[in-house]
């Protein structure tokens, strides 16, 4: 992408500067256009967290493609949602004696032998569990950014440093991004987010879940975003998140009517399995002033 290539020099300069680890608490301005986030890629149509789903999400012009990152037995970063391999691969047929088939119990070489597409549709037979590096390679060919969820990082000692190291090898991902349309790292593990923010303070981060309104001030000291289940994204809660200088991107929203409601509630982004549907709703719906 041209804007990423152009940003490499700026990103390299950024790494030589001293960056404060405090997250700004200035009130966030509601965005005029809602960020379209493809959940696990365009996962309504292609097998989630595969390169096929990532590619389709980008083709549907999602602003961000969301993926889940975990770690193999040999400490390689792979993209898969569940902490076990059974739901989205044929691991039970390939390795019947290895229950409960945890991601952390298999090497990358073993995981790469699995079919990660047939469970969704026979057309995707042979799709594989991608590495984190492969997803970055794929997205670098597109106009879409990345929403990276660290899945159950408490299971994987050192994963924060490995994710940060992979990103640091690619300066185009390290550019400042106040509009959060390029790279965001999120997790349900808020301690991980606090730690990751300390590692890469220039990278936007978000907590998954819904902190209470009393917790928002503390969360805002280390997080740029609050990304809750859509049921929490009431007008009052959205306003409270904005008052603490953070953005809010609820998940997982596939119903057009609910998309319109959340846009009216002034969310900053929406995470959806159907980025094509969401794109049309964003285009046709304007938040009330």
């Amino acid at each position: 992408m041209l804007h990423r290539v152009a940003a490499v020099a700026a990103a390299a300069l950024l790494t030589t500067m001293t960056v404060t680890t405090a997250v700004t608490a200035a009130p966030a301005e509601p965005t005029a256009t809602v960020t379209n986030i493809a959940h696990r890629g365009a996962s309504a149509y292609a097998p989630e967290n595969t390169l096929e789903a990532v590619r389709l999400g980008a083709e549907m012009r999602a602003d961000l493609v969301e993926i889940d990152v975990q770690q193999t037995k040999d400490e390689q970063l792979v993209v898969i949602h569940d902490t076990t391999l059974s739901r989205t691969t044929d691991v039970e047929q390939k390795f019947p004696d290895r229950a409960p088939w945890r991601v952390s119990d298999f090497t990358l070489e073993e995981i790469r032998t699995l079919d990660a597409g047939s469970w969704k549709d026979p057309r995707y037979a042979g799709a594989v569990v991608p590495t984190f590096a492969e997803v970055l390679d794929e997205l670098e060919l597109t106009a879409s950014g990345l929403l990276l969820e660290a899945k159950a990082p408490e299971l994987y000692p050192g994963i924060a440093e490995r994710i940060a190291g992979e990103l640091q090898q690619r300066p185009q991902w390290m550019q400042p991004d106040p509009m959060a349309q390029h790279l965001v790292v999120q997790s349900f593990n808020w301690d991980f987010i606090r730690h990751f923010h300390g590692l890469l303070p220039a990278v936007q981060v978000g907590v998954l879940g819904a902190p209470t309104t009393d917790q928002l001030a503390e969360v805002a000291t280390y997080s740029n975003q609050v990304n809750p289940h859509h049921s929490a994204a009431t007008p009052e809660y959205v306003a409270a998140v904005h008052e603490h200088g953070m953005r809010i991107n609820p998940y997982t929203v596939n119903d057009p009517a609910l998309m319109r409601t959340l846009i009216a509630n002034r969310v900053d982004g929406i995470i959806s399995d159907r980025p094509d549907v969401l794109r049309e709703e964003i285009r046709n719906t304007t938040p009330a002033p």
Side-chain angles (χ1 to χ4, degrees):
M1 289 170 29
L2 292 178
H3 72 278
R4 291 184 182 163
V5 174
V8 170
L13 178 61
L14 175 68
T15 61
T16 68
M17 300 169 60
T18 299
V19 183
T20 179
T21 59
V23 176
T24 179
E29 291 295 329
T31 53
T33 301
V34 174
T35 301
N36 183 343
I37 305 169
H39 183 236
R40 308 178 197 172
S43 57
Y45 313 107
E48 64 182 61
N49 277 316
T50 60
L51 291 182
E52 289 80 357
V54 168
R55 189 176 303 120
L56 185 57
E59 290 172 359
M60 291 179 172
R61 290 184 276 177
D63 299 304
L64 297 171
V65 173
E66 188 263 356
I67 61 167
D68 303 282
V69 175
Q70 297 188 61
Q71 186 170 285
T72 66
K73 182 178 182 179
D74 51 342
E75 299 182 342
Q76 302 300 304
L77 298 176
V78 290
V79 176
I80 187 169
H81 177 268
D82 297 4
T83 57
T84 63
L85 295 154
S86 53
R87 181 177 64 87
T88 57
T89 78
D90 60 348
V91 68
E92 294 185 34
Q93 289 72 48
K94 294 277 181 63
F95 298 96
D97 300 325
R98 300 272 296 272
W101 302 289
R102 288 184 292 257
V103 173
S104 59
D105 289 339
F106 288 78
T107 66
L108 177 60
E109 183 178 5
E110 289 172 328
I111 290 174
R112 295 288 276 186
T113 68
L114 303 176
D115 179 349
S118 293
W119 69 273
K120 179 72 172 178
D121 191 297
R123 293 177 300 163
Y124 292 106
V128 299
V129 174
T131 64
F132 178 40
E134 287 173 332
V135 170
L136 291 177
D137 288 343
E138 185 69 36
L139 287 176
E140 285 165 14
L141 302 174
T142 77
S144 297
L146 173 66
L147 175 56
L148 184 165
E149 180 181 344
K151 179 62 65 176
E154 63 276 7
L155 299 178
Y156 308 111
I159 193 171
E161 288 75 14
R162 290 185 181 89
I163 292 171
E166 185 69 48
L167 292 170
Q168 287 173 313
Q169 292 178 37
R170 300 165 182 257
Q172 64 268 42
W173 289 99
M174 298 298 297
Q175 65 200 64
D177 183 22
M179 295 304 293
Q181 298 258 358
H182 180 60
L183 171 65
V184 182
V185 175
Q186 66 175 2
S187 183
F188 282 103
N189 186 320
W190 301 356
D191 288 337
F192 169 88
I193 291 300
R194 188 193 297 269
H195 177 57
F196 192 88
H197 172 62
L199 292 175
L200 294 181
V203 172
Q204 297 274 303
V205 293
V207 296
L208 279 161
T212 67
T213 53
D214 290 340
Q215 291 175 312
L216 288 175
E218 168 64 17
V219 171
T221 64
Y222 61 87
S223 185
N224 308 97
Q225 298 185 3
V226 170
N227 298 335
H229 185 267
H230 61 74
S231 60
T234 63
E236 295 77 16
Y237 191 75
V238 171
V241 171
H242 287 158
E243 286 169 6
H244 287 86
M246 295 180 287
R247 297 166 62 86
I248 181 168
N249 306 305
Y251 66 88
T252 302
V253 184
N254 294 321
D255 176 66
L258 182 54
M259 292 173 184
R260 293 191 291 272
T261 295
L262 292 168
I263 293 169
N265 290 355
R266 305 188 70 81
V267 300
D268 298 288
I270 294 174
I271 301 171
S272 177
D273 300 329
R274 305 168 68 192
D276 54 338
V277 175
L278 177 56
R279 183 172 178 273
E280 287 303 304
E281 294 303 328
I282 292 171
R283 186 172 65 86
N284 294 329
T285 307
T286 303

